[in-house]
Amino acid sequence: MPITPATAVQSSQYGTTEAILLELVDEDGTTIGTAEKLAAHQPPGQLHRAFSVFLFDERGRLLLQQRALGKYHSPGVWSNTCCGHPYPGESPFAAAARRTHEELGVSPALLGEAGTVRYNHPDPDSGLVEQEFNHLFVGLLQAPLRPDPEEVEATAFVTADELAERHAKDPFSAWFMTVLDAARPAVRELTGPSAGW
């Protein structure tokens, strides 16, 4: 079951609920502890593990998602296909595949690692801070989407040129260009030179 709010809880095997925890990491991405999700995003932010997914269709178009209006962090802005945080002990790859299915109702036909990027992006609207060690993934999508409306307001497939136009006029997440730029070598390898990424 998707968990949207920062204050949401996950069920344990004993039927009780517990706060969502994130993995805290050092500058090398080594796990050094855990923190509750909202606390990790309070200023100045605690460096934690995250992931970002970029999925493309057979024409080399990127699937963007507009984040649901009810999200506690960056509601209504456009961003990459899927992003989130692994649970403690969960691999970033497994978390990326899990959340893509939870948010968009589809599993990637292909999903590969595309490196990591570390950033610190304060969100001026919420005051929260994205202090993240982000694992990047690129892949192909070959099935119809079934977005969860609690997670996703809208979706759009865009070419590189269409993304540039949309980015100039629509609000995007604070982290979007950082993660896209870091993933570009893998994106180009996946989509080929004619796609223009």
Side-chain angles (χ1 to χ4, degrees):
M1 178 172 110
I3 299 169
T4 304
T7 54
V9 293
Q10 65 188 74
S11 298
S12 76
Q13 61 186 0
Y14 305 108
T16 59
T17 55
E18 45 194 61
I20 294 177
L21 297 178
L22 308 183
E23 280 189 356
L24 300 180
V25 299
D26 64 17
E27 293 293 336
D28 297 317
T30 302
T31 302
I32 58 172
T34 60
E36 190 274 325
K37 185 176 179 181
L38 185 57
H41 290 88
Q42 296 291 335
Q46 298 177 68
L47 184 58
H48 58 275
R49 193 176 311 283
F51 66 83
S52 291
V53 177
F54 297 86
L55 296 182
F56 295 81
D57 67 7
E58 69 283 350
R59 293 168 48 192
R61 298 181 303 168
L62 171 61
L63 174 60
L64 296 177
Q65 116 163 216
Q66 184 183 23
R67 294 165 62 84
L69 299 179
K71 283 191 173 271
Y72 79 97
H73 188 356
S74 302
V77 302
W78 289 90
S79 199
N80 49 294
T81 308
C82 179
C83 53
H85 310 93
Y87 294 131
E90 181 182 31
S91 77
F93 182 90
R98 171 180 58 80
R99 285 302 289 162
T100 299
H101 188 268
E102 289 174 351
E103 292 187 10
L104 296 163
V106 65
S107 296
L110 172 74
L111 188 65
E113 295 182 5
T116 59
V117 63
R118 191 258 195 255
Y119 53 79
N120 178 357
H121 286 301
D123 177 45
D125 294 328
S126 68
L128 300 175
V129 178
E130 290 290 359
Q131 183 93 247
E132 294 186 330
F133 189 95
N134 197 306
H135 297 256
L136 308 171
F137 298 92
V138 300
L140 296 175
L141 190 62
Q142 296 177 327
L145 299 174
R146 297 185 319 274
D148 178 347
E150 291 187 14
E151 298 286 342
V152 180
E153 190 69 22
T155 60
F157 282 97
V158 296
T159 65
D161 288 341
E162 290 166 344
L163 174 61
E165 293 171 12
R166 185 180 288 260
H167 192 263
K169 64 182 179 65
D170 292 336
F172 272 73
S173 64
W175 61 87
F176 176 75
M177 286 310 297
T178 299
V179 293
L180 176 59
D181 286 345
R184 277 187 200 275
V187 168
R188 290 185 187 116
E189 186 175 337
L190 177 74
T191 60
S194 62
W197 294 101

